[in-house]
Amino acid sequence: ALLPILSYPDPRLRTIAKPVKEVTAEIKTLISDMIETMYDAQGIGLAASQVDRHIQLIVMDLSEDKNAPRVFINPKVTPLVEEKQPYEEGCLSVPDVYDKVERPKKVRIEALDENGDVIDEVVEGLLAVCIQHEMDHLNGVIFVDYLSRLKQTRARDKVRKVLKIREKQG
Ligand SMILES: O=C(O)C[C@@H](Cc1ccccc1)C(=O)SCC(=O)c1ccccc1
Ligand SMILES: [Zn+2]
């Protein structure tokens, strides 16, 4: 089922997510709903915080054909190099706002997948950018927090406008 995505500056987006204790049937349903919602919103990632579920769960799909979803449960991301890389980020919770953010170039991801199997990978490129963007969501951080006050004000106004237009479209 499609889930509503919280929009900036909704305070619920600032909630700190709790670890997943057990991958229950309910969580498996949430995972498939989040994957469906991510595709519908044309995203490459989605954190549970964005659908108002405050558990440490991220879904992602960077594939061309949108047929290779990945699930990260209780993820831990460790920067492996000091070097940072800028990337023009967007966010499904901040529609139509894109801006440059610098993040560590190479990171280690430790997590569990949907079957409870261990994930332990070193990643660079868009996967590294995306996992750090999603990890921020689980810690109540939104990419606009890295931008200037002026840009944050503009982002708030832009989201308000986009939501009004979406309401009219019904
Ligand atoms: O809000 C989210 O978490 C999803 C977000 C993830 C993300 C985008 C860009 C960089 C890092 C992480 C999106 O999927 S935004 C929409 C999108 O597909 C996209 C936007 C900019 C660059 C690449 C993809
Ligand atoms: Zn986001």
Side-chain angles (χ1 to χ4, degrees):
L2 287 183
L3 303 171
I5 296 176
L6 297 177
S7 295
Y8 177 79
D10 191 315
R12 290 171 290 180
L13 286 168
R14 301 303 182 178
T15 311
I16 307 292
K18 291 189 172 52
V20 172
K21 288 190 182 37
E22 186 203 347
V23 185
T24 60
E26 194 264 341
I27 292 211
K28 291 203 174 192
T29 304
L30 174 62
I31 289 171
S32 56
D33 289 348
M34 282 175 63
I35 292 171
E36 183 186 345
T37 302
M38 172 181 66
Y39 290 149
D40 177 73
Q42 270 103 49
I44 57 173
L46 188 68
S49 316
Q50 295 177 273
V51 291
D52 202 19
R53 295 292 305 272
H54 304 290
I55 57 172
Q56 294 174 16
L57 167 58
I58 290 168
V59 299
M60 206 183 290
D61 187 342
L62 276 60
S63 69
E64 291 301 309
D65 305 341
K66 297 292 163 208
N67 57 358
R70 299 205 61 183
V71 177
F72 300 91
I73 296 171
N74 300 336
K76 180 171 166 251
V77 172
T78 317
L80 294 178
V81 297
E82 287 292 306
E83 194 191 350
K84 293 193 187 314
Q85 194 168 43
Y87 195 92
E88 184 84 2
E89 297 195 11
C91 183
L92 298 177
S93 295
V94 194
D96 294 13
V97 173
Y98 296 91
D99 217 312
K100 222 176 278 315
V101 173
E102 297 219 341
R103 297 184 191 269
K105 192 169 179 304
K106 185 156 84 168
V107 298
R108 179 180 180 193
I109 309 174
E110 295 165 275
L112 297 178
D113 66 14
E114 64 280 14
N115 306 312
D117 295 328
V118 170
I119 294 173
D120 191 343
E121 290 173 19
V122 173
V123 300
E124 297 187 65
L126 185 52
L127 180 50
V129 174
C130 190
I131 194 67
Q132 292 179 83
H133 176 109
E134 304 307 339
M135 276 305 294
D136 273 355
H137 277 302
L138 300 184
N139 295 315
V141 173
I142 298 168
F143 88 102
V144 294
D145 299 345
Y146 299 106
L147 307 179
S148 67
R149 278 274 173 284
L150 175 64
K151 285 189 173 180
Q152 289 175 19
T153 306
R154 285 194 184 141
R156 226 191 309 279
D157 296 343
K158 184 78 176 286
V159 171
R160 209 177 287 131
K161 223 164 72 216
V162 168
L163 293 185
K164 275 209 183 69
I165 292 166
R166 286 184 184 172
E167 254 162 47
K168 283 204 192 77
Q169 282 161 351

